[in-house]
Amino acid sequence: MGPPRIELLRVKNSLQTQLSLLEKIQEIDIEVTRIGKERESYPKKKELIDEEVSRLEAEVDSMLAVKDELERQRAATESEVTVWDEKIKKNEERLKDIKNEKQYKAIGKEVNTATKKKTEMTREVVRIGKLLETKCDELDNTKERLRQKNEECGAIEAEMNQLTAEWEKVLAEKKTERDAIVAKVSPDILRRYELIKDKRNGTGLVVARDGTCQGCHMSIPPQLYIQLRRGPDELIVCPHCHRILYVDKRISV
Ligand SMILES: [Zn+2]
């Protein structure tokens, strides 16, 4: 056993250490990405609720306009009922001092017409009243939905504020932890990891198990796998997905 063998062993050991440091960095990166995604999801959730609140507010406004219009129509129809009613009373009064048959018939006809109109308008008042009742119920329901949405909006804001404080604390901790590990990793290895990670959906480093890359689930050529198991003296990447491969000694050996 001459010095070159010792040198090779040192390289192997140091590569093994580098890979396990990289594994820790990746764990941190995955957690940081997860927090980032969770964080991003909140403004979107809030935005959806805000949109629903605006939609319901507009709905309440237009329903209030409909309600106002129906109330106006009902009041107008009610005054028409009063007008026809007064006409009936006036003509009935006139009938008392009628002198001839012709006049009597004419006034009688007017009373009939006014009575018909009054009945018609009274029915219309009832119809509008029923419609108004339905519209008021719908309005109440919409107002209640709006109240609930506003409540939801407040709740998500409170949740977001609380979580933001927690996320910031965890992210600061993770950064400190990562910086400390990065200081021990060779810049070349770190750069390769970062490059692959960016191209490969956040994972630059994967375990090889049972002759298969656990990143893309493709078989690793046997010669390469043997080299990995033995402890490589240089970085080995998956020939299919190009991620850095390592063997988890806790599982594979
Ligand atoms: Zn692969």
Side-chain angles (χ1 to χ4, degrees), residues 206 213-218 238-243 245:
V206 279
C213 162
Q214 297 301 305
C216 65
H217 303 284
M218 301 278 276
C238 168
H240 312 288
C241 70
H242 307 291
R243 292 181 177 105
L245 290 170

Side-chain angles (χ1 to χ4, degrees), residues 8 21-22 27 43 47 78 86 96 99 106 109 111 114 144 150-151 173 192 203 209 215 224 250:
L8 188 61
L21 291 173
L22 223 46
E27 270 170 32
E47 203 179 299
E78 273 168 351
E86 275 161 9
K96 286 176 188 165
K99 309 229 169 21
K109 210 176 159 189
V111 171
E144 174 56 20
N150 272 321
E151 215 173 81
E173 282 167 9
R192 281 188 74 177
T203 33
R209 197 183 302 146
L224 211 57
R250 290 163 298 190

Side-chain angles (χ1 to χ4, degrees), residues 63-77 127-136:
M63 283 174 136
L64 280 172
V66 169
K67 183 180 169 245
D68 283 352
E69 173 58 18
L70 285 173
E71 277 170 348
R72 196 195 58 74
Q73 277 179 23
R74 184 168 65 178
T77 317
R127 189 192 68 82
I128 296 172
K130 278 182 186 160
L131 190 58
L132 196 55
E133 216 174 284
T134 310
K135 293 289 171 195
C136 283

